[in-house]
Amino acid sequence: MTVTDVLLCVFGIITLAAAVRVVITAHLVRAGLWLVVALGGLAACFLVLTAEFVAWVQVLIYVGAVVVLLLFAVMLTRAPIGAGDDMDRRRWPAAVVGAAAGVGLAAVFVETFRWSSVDITGVEPGSAQRVGSEVFGAWVLPFELLSVLLLSALVGAIVVSLRRSRSEDA
């Protein structure tokens, strides 16, 4: 095993453990903070794989924007942060569905790659220019739709917060 393999395994375990904590924690803000750790671990995996551009995009977009938007929306709407008594907490069906999804994804992964090595001798290395031309060329419509979706979620959170604050004042 090389140092790269060891680092990838360590960051993968950190990412997996943080992702599990995101799912099992009862507090929404703590789940958001564990999501930061999970996404940061994934960015570290990208750095180990020498995909620096993808790693920094991961940090800037997901950690810097999506998680902050999630936490901002939760705090702005004054939603209950902790575990509530009225929450339905059936864990076994969720565990079965999660395990089935994990087994299905693992089966697809094994079937797709069949543990074979890939010859990359004739492949050009990626660059920020190639990624940018793909994102803003072929994928510009989904990219813009995602930005409109995030903006509408933020506006919706502000509207819900204003309605609640006006009804509490009355």
Side-chain angles (χ1 to χ4, degrees), residues 66-148:
V66 174
V67 174
V68 170
L69 179 68
L70 170 86
L71 294 175
F72 180 71
V74 166
M75 292 178 185
L76 185 67
T77 58
R78 298 182 192 145
I81 295 172
D85 295 333
D86 58 343
M87 299 283 289
D88 189 14
R89 308 277 297 179
R90 295 183 190 163
R91 293 184 183 200
W92 288 109
V96 169
V97 169
V103 167
L105 287 173
V108 167
F109 183 75
V110 169
E111 180 64 27
T112 302
F113 295 106
R114 293 195 183 265
W115 305 108
S116 61
S117 61
V118 178
D119 183 26
I120 59 169
T121 54
V123 178
E124 291 182 37
S127 66
Q129 182 180 5
R130 283 183 60 192
V131 172
S133 65
E134 283 294 321
V135 168
F136 294 111
W139 293 95
V140 70
L141 183 62
F143 186 78
E144 290 300 323
L145 287 175
L146 181 64
S147 66
V148 170

